[in-house]
Amino acid sequence: MTFAHPYYLLLLLLLPLLAWLRGTRGKPPAFVYSSVQLLRPILNVTRSRAGAFLAALRWLTLGLFIVALAQPRITRSETRIKASGVDIVVALDMSGSMLSEDFELRGQRVNRFDMAREVLRGFIGKRPSDRIGLVAFASQAYIATPPTLDHDFLLQNLGRLQIGAIDESRTAIGSALSTAINRLRELKSKSKIVILMTDGQNNAGQLAPLTVAEAAQALKVKVYTIGVGMRGMAPMPMFYRGQKVGYRQEPVDIDEDTLKKIAQMTDGKYYRADNAKNFQAIYAEIDKLEKTEAEVKKFAHHQELFAWMISPGLMLLLLEMLARHTVWRRLP
C-alpha cells in the first residue's frame, strides 16, 4: 500500500499532543459542593468509563480522516519498459481531398485517409518504445494525442478520427507543423521527429510552412514529409443521400516543392506515397531511425482506498454522537 500524499500522515503525530492538552485543561465541574462529606454515601460507586470510550472514538475517527486525506491506495500493476530516445509526433491531414480513393488495400479500393491510418497503425505497432503523439489538421490543427507510451490510447484516438469531424475545406500545413513541434519542444529526448502526411497545399492558417521549418531547424526537430496520393488525376467519390453513386476525377495538387524544402531544412526526407506498397515502404524506412534505450515507467494501476478509510470514520463519528446524546448523555 502506498499514499498519494504521505506528508499528511505527519498530522497523526499531533493527536497525542492534542489529547494531552485536552486532558490537562479538563472541563468545568458539573456540581459544586460545600463539603465532601455530602459525597460519602456514593464513594463506593464504580467510576464510569463512558467518557474515555467516547473520547477514544473521537480520536480514532480523526485518525481515520487523516489517513484518508493522505489518499491510501494499493498498486496492483506497474510496468517498466525500455523506452527509446526518439519522440515522434505524426501530423495527419484530414482535409476533404483525403477521401480520394486512389489506393488499393487487400483487393479493395480505399481512400487516402484510411490508407494513412492503416500504415500508421503498423508503424506504431513496430515502435513500442517510442513516445508517439498525433496531430489532426485541416483548416485548423488539433492535438489528438500528446506524445505518449500508452499506444493503446493512441490507437483508440486514431480510430476515432473521421473526415468531417473538423472543417475539411482547407489545409493548414504550417499550423499543423507548428502544433507538432510545440509538443516536442519541452521534451528532453535524443531525437525529435515529426512525420507530416498531406495531399494538398498550404491554403489556411497564418503560419507559413517554411517559416515553421526554420523554427524546427533551430529546435533540432527532424521533419519527414509524405505526399499522399497518386500522380495526375485521382478518383473522388460522389454521394447522393449518403450513398456512393460514383466517382469524379480531380487533379492531385500536392505542393511537393514546399514539402521537399521542409524536409531538407530539418535534415529529414521527403517521400511520395502513390500506392499502398510504397506507403508501407516509407514507414519501414523511417522505422530505421537511431534509437537509444532508457528505462521508464509506462503506467501504474492503483486501487484507491479512500472510501475504506472515510466510511468507517464517518460511522464512528455518528456512533460517538449518538452515544454522547443518548445512553451516555452527560450533565452540562
Side-chain angles (χ1 to χ4, degrees):
M1 185 175 69
T2 60
F3 295 89
H5 311 290
Y7 44 84
Y8 282 126
L9 295 176
L10 295 175
L11 296 175
L12 293 173
L13 300 177
L14 296 178
L15 294 185
L17 177 61
L18 293 175
W20 179 77
L21 291 175
R22 182 180 177 86
T24 56
R25 186 180 62 180
K27 289 184 173 295
F31 297 98
V32 178
Y33 298 93
S34 59
S35 173
V36 294
Q37 296 297 326
L38 298 175
L39 297 179
R40 288 190 179 277
I42 60 173
L43 287 178
N44 295 326
V45 176
T46 303
R47 182 179 179 182
S48 172
R49 296 183 178 275
F53 180 74
L54 293 177
L57 285 180
R58 178 65 61 89
W59 294 117
L60 180 58
T61 299
L62 187 57
L64 288 173
F65 285 170
I66 292 174
V67 174
L69 190 63
Q71 195 177 342
R73 56 194 183 180
I74 295 177
T75 302
R76 292 199 173 274
S77 64
E78 182 175 301
T79 302
R80 289 188 175 272
I81 66 171
K82 293 289 185 178
S84 74
V86 181
D87 288 330
I88 303 171
V89 174
V90 179
L92 178 58
D93 192 345
M94 291 180 59
S95 59
S97 58
M98 289 289 285
L99 290 175
S100 295
E101 297 183 2
D102 47 0
F103 287 94
E104 185 174 323
L105 183 64
R106 291 183 284 271
Q108 294 184 350
R109 179 175 287 183
V110 297
N111 60 48
R112 299 169 181 172
F113 181 71
D114 288 339
M115 186 67 217
R117 287 199 300 182
E118 179 70 16
V119 177
L120 181 54
R121 288 190 186 99
F123 177 76
I124 293 172
K126 293 179 180 179
R127 301 184 70 90
S129 301
D130 293 333
R131 282 188 292 195
I132 302 178
L134 181 62
V135 170
F137 71 97
S139 296
Q140 299 88 26
Y142 301 92
I143 300 171
T145 308
T148 178
L149 285 167
D150 189 350
H151 290 179
D152 291 335
F153 173 69
L154 173 63
L155 291 172
Q156 288 175 4
N157 286 345
L158 178 61
R160 295 189 187 103
L161 297 180
Q162 296 292 336
I163 300 292
I166 58 179
D167 183 3
E168 61 186 75
S169 60
R170 293 182 293 173
T171 306
I173 296 176
S175 298
L177 186 57
S178 175
T179 302
I181 292 172
N182 284 333
R183 300 310 303 174
L184 294 170
R185 183 174 57 182
E186 302 300 329
L187 299 180
K188 296 180 180 179
S189 52
K190 184 175 181 180
S191 182
K192 303 176 183 179
I193 296 168
V194 172
I195 301 176
L196 174 66
M197 292 187 289
T198 183
D199 68 341
Q201 302 184 13
N202 184 71
N203 53 19
Q206 299 180 353
L207 297 174
L210 295 182
T211 301
V212 181
E214 292 178 356
Q217 184 182 34
L219 294 171
K220 297 182 180 179
V221 176
K222 187 181 297 184
V223 182
Y224 288 86
T225 55
I226 302 176
V228 182
M230 63 188 301
R231 302 177 188 275
M233 305 295 290
M236 174 66 72
M238 297 185 299
F239 295 89
Y240 179 72
R241 294 183 178 179
Q243 299 294 325
K244 188 188 300 183
V245 296
Y247 296 90
R248 67 176 184 272
Q249 297 295 319
E250 289 191 351
V252 178
D253 60 350
I254 300 175
D255 188 357
E256 290 193 292
D257 290 339
T258 298
L259 296 180
K260 289 178 181 178
K261 290 179 181 178
I262 292 173
Q264 183 180 8
M265 291 172 62
T266 59
D267 294 328
K269 190 174 181 180
Y270 169 72
Y271 301 92
R272 180 62 182 266
D274 51 7
N275 59 67
K277 184 178 180 180
N278 190 17
F279 213 152
Q280 293 169 346
I282 291 170
Y283 271 95
E285 183 175 336
I286 297 176
D287 187 47
K288 298 177 181 178
L289 298 171
E290 179 184 359
K291 300 177 183 179
T292 57
E293 290 188 347
E295 189 178 77
V296 299
K297 181 163 54 177
K298 183 179 181 181
F299 67 88
H301 176 70
H302 302 289
Q303 179 185 359
E304 299 294 341
L305 302 179
F306 176 83
W308 291 93
M309 296 295 172
I310 202 70
S311 298
L314 292 174
M315 294 176 63
L316 290 177
L317 179 61
L318 180 61
L319 176 62
E320 189 262 347
M321 294 178 64
L322 288 175
R324 186 180 295 274
H325 293 86
T326 54
V327 295
W328 287 330
R329 186 175 182 182
R330 60 179 294 171
L331 294 174

